[in-house]
Amino acid sequence: MPNGPLRGVTVLDCATLFAGPLAATILGDFGAEVIKVEHPRKPDPARTHGPAKDGVGLWWKMLGRNKHTVTVDFGRPGGAALLQRMAAEADVLIENFRPGTLERWGLGPDVLHAVNPRLVIARVTGFGQFGPYATRPGFGTLAESMSGFAAMTGEPEGPPTLPPFGLADGVAALTLAGAVQTALYHRDVHDAPGQVVDLAIIEPLLTLLGPQATVYDQLGLVPERTGNRSTNNAPRNTYRTRDGKWLAVSTSAQSVAERVLTLVGHPEVTQEPWFSSGAGRAAHADLLDAFVGGWIAERDAAVVADAFEQAQAAIAPVYDIRDVLADPQYQALDSITTVPDADLGPLRMQNVLFRLSQTPGEIRWTGRAPGADNDTIFARFGLSPEDVAVLRKEGAV
């Protein structure tokens, strides 16, 4: 990828499952050379997560895109030595082993920085590198539970609700990709050594939940489950149309709230003193939902959407993935793009995260088999075929 903004950056993706590997995918999408390093007999479990076609894991095709794949057993002397050899020429190493594991193999940051002082070592774990929970196994679900997300998600009378996808892992991956680039900027612009990034999956989601810590600190308030409603504004909900479709309405801006209530035939309510603030409207959500929901329920989705657009009021259909693929805006943006795949042929998947005007990202290939690039990559790091044969005999690759 000669024009990628991260060209020249070599990343060793030694992590498994989602947060670390997805961060590496993001870096690879924008030109970094990503080398996925897996155990030769126990590859990344993400390869078998989710649906498969003809025995081919579909999640891996996206998560493993733009990555060379090699196999190394760090627990064997030859494998540990090989990782040091690769780290000596790399810019970034991403790992998610439990704290102390790399150190037990003789591959801790002190050792890796001895062979390459400029290496950025990104460590992503459930609970961070220190503290009473550091050595516990940690997954995104635990972060969604402990962060307060589950406690404030769901219907008021229902149970705490977890997302049906890897929300905390995804947020952590985005955060880690940014952290790695921050560390690289500091290294390169300020001529500084590489540093260690310590990211706990339980932390990034806290920031996305807004000022709840500050609100509790100052006011003693604890967020409660409100379903699709918001405590900050109203009307804000999903509403069913006459033809059985669901539409989402948001009125975060005061002017939009006024246009919505005028559109649905209740301009008088906009003159109420409480209507002038989001909190005031939220306190009268039952009334506003009845006005908006009643109006929408009497009309088909296309009529409602057109009326809202004419009124410059915010509305969107509730989509499933079939709707996403058919939507003209997503099509115009190429948000779901088609990539050739050696196993499955043309394959649709999410495109790169954002568009850069001069150095755009690109999906160059999809996820490959474990160790597909062993010979090529190991040769790049100076190993002869005979060297690789010795490592194979040891079980190190």
Side-chain angles (χ1 to χ4, degrees), residues 333-344:
L333 295 173
D334 197 28
S335 303
I336 306 295
T337 195
T338 300
V339 186
D341 178 75
D343 299 313
L344 301 173

Side-chain angles (χ1 to χ4, degrees), residues 229 235 237-243 245-247 249 260-261 263-266 285-301 303-304 308 315:
R229 288 179 173 177
N237 214 325
T238 57
Y239 306 94
R240 193 170 188 176
T241 64
R242 183 171 61 186
D243 54 347
K245 304 293 180 61
W246 288 92
L247 302 173
V249 173
V260 168
L261 269 297
L263 171 64
V264 301
H266 290 278
D286 286 344
L287 175 66
L288 299 178
D289 272 347
F291 288 158
V292 176
W295 187 87
I296 289 177
E298 296 174 349
R299 293 161 174 82
D300 290 346
V303 173
V304 174
F308 267 70
I315 195 169

Side-chain angles (χ1 to χ4, degrees), residues 101-112:
T101 301
L102 277 185
E103 288 81 354
R104 188 171 69 250
W105 290 330
L107 296 169
D110 57 335
V111 174
L112 296 176

Side-chain angles (χ1 to χ4, degrees), residues 58-397:
L58 299 179
W59 202 331
W60 171 252
K61 286 298 181 181
M62 182 189 77
L63 189 64
R65 72 193 193 193
N66 293 336
K67 298 181 183 182
H68 301 289
T69 60
V70 301
T71 53
V72 183
D73 183 349
F74 305 149
R76 297 178 186 261
L82 177 54
L83 181 66
Q84 289 188 50
R85 189 168 190 159
M86 296 170 71
E89 299 183 35
D91 297 282
V92 180
L93 184 147
I94 299 174
E95 62 97 0
N96 71 330
F97 300 104
R98 290 197 205 183
T101 301
L102 277 185
E103 288 81 354
R104 188 171 69 250
W105 290 330
L107 296 169
D110 57 335
V111 174
L112 296 176
H113 278 150
V115 300
N116 182 0
R118 291 174 56 79
L119 183 68
V120 172
I121 304 172
R123 317 189 79 172
V124 53
T125 56
F127 302 102
Q129 294 296 312
F130 57 90
Y133 303 162
T135 58
R136 293 182 181 179
F139 299 98
T141 298
L142 308 187
E144 291 145 11
S145 176
M146 291 179 63
S147 64
F149 173 85
M152 61 189 296
T153 304
E155 294 299 324
E157 303 303 321
T161 301
L162 295 167
F165 63 99
L167 174 64
D169 276 299
V171 174
L174 292 167
T175 306
L176 188 64
V180 165
Q181 292 173 82
T182 301
L184 288 173
Y185 179 91
H186 176 259
R187 184 196 72 175
D188 296 343
V189 172
H190 300 291
D191 194 24
Q195 57 187 297
V196 177
V197 176
D198 176 11
L199 187 142
I201 295 175
I202 60 172
E203 290 186 300
L205 196 54
L206 288 172
T207 297
L208 259 66
L209 296 180
Q212 59 176 336
T214 305
V215 171
Y216 178 75
D217 176 65
Q218 296 297 306
L219 301 175
L221 299 178
V222 177
E224 297 180 351
R225 291 188 287 283
T226 59
N228 289 325
R229 288 179 173 177
S230 169
T231 58
N232 301 312
N233 65 80
R236 191 263 199 182
N237 214 325
T238 57
Y239 306 94
R240 193 170 188 176
T241 64
R242 183 171 61 186
D243 54 347
K245 304 293 180 61
W246 288 92
L247 302 173
V249 173
S250 176
T251 58
S252 296
Q254 178 69 24
S255 59
V256 174
E258 293 172 359
R259 290 197 288 269
V260 168
L261 269 297
T262 300
L263 171 64
V264 301
H266 290 278
E268 75 286 352
V269 77
T270 66
Q271 304 305 310
E272 296 287 347
W274 51 262
F275 196 88
S276 62
S277 71
R281 299 196 306 276
H284 293 78
D286 286 344
L287 175 66
L288 299 178
D289 272 347
F291 288 158
V292 176
W295 187 87
I296 289 177
E298 296 174 349
R299 293 161 174 82
D300 290 346
V303 173
V304 174
D306 183 65
F308 267 70
E309 184 175 350
Q310 294 299 320
Q312 297 185 37
I315 195 169
V318 176
Y319 276 173
D320 61 24
I321 189 59
R322 294 168 296 185
D323 303 310
V324 170
L325 292 172
D327 183 86
Q329 182 61 33
Y330 279 127
Q331 291 176 356
L333 295 173
D334 197 28
S335 303
I336 306 295
T337 195
T338 300
V339 186
D341 178 75
D343 299 313
L344 301 173
L347 193 64
R348 288 193 287 186
M349 64 176 62
Q350 295 94 321
N351 210 337
V352 300
L353 279 171
F354 47 85
R355 283 162 289 279
L356 297 177
S357 61
Q358 297 182 37
T359 56
E362 179 187 357
I363 303 172
R364 302 181 298 288
W365 64 81
T366 58
R368 295 177 174 175
D373 300 291
N374 274 4
D375 292 340
T376 302
I377 294 298
F378 293 154
R380 177 198 149 178
F381 288 100
L383 272 68
S384 68
E386 293 75 20
D387 294 329
V388 176
V390 171
L391 291 173
R392 283 201 175 98
K393 185 175 181 180
E394 180 191 340
V397 301

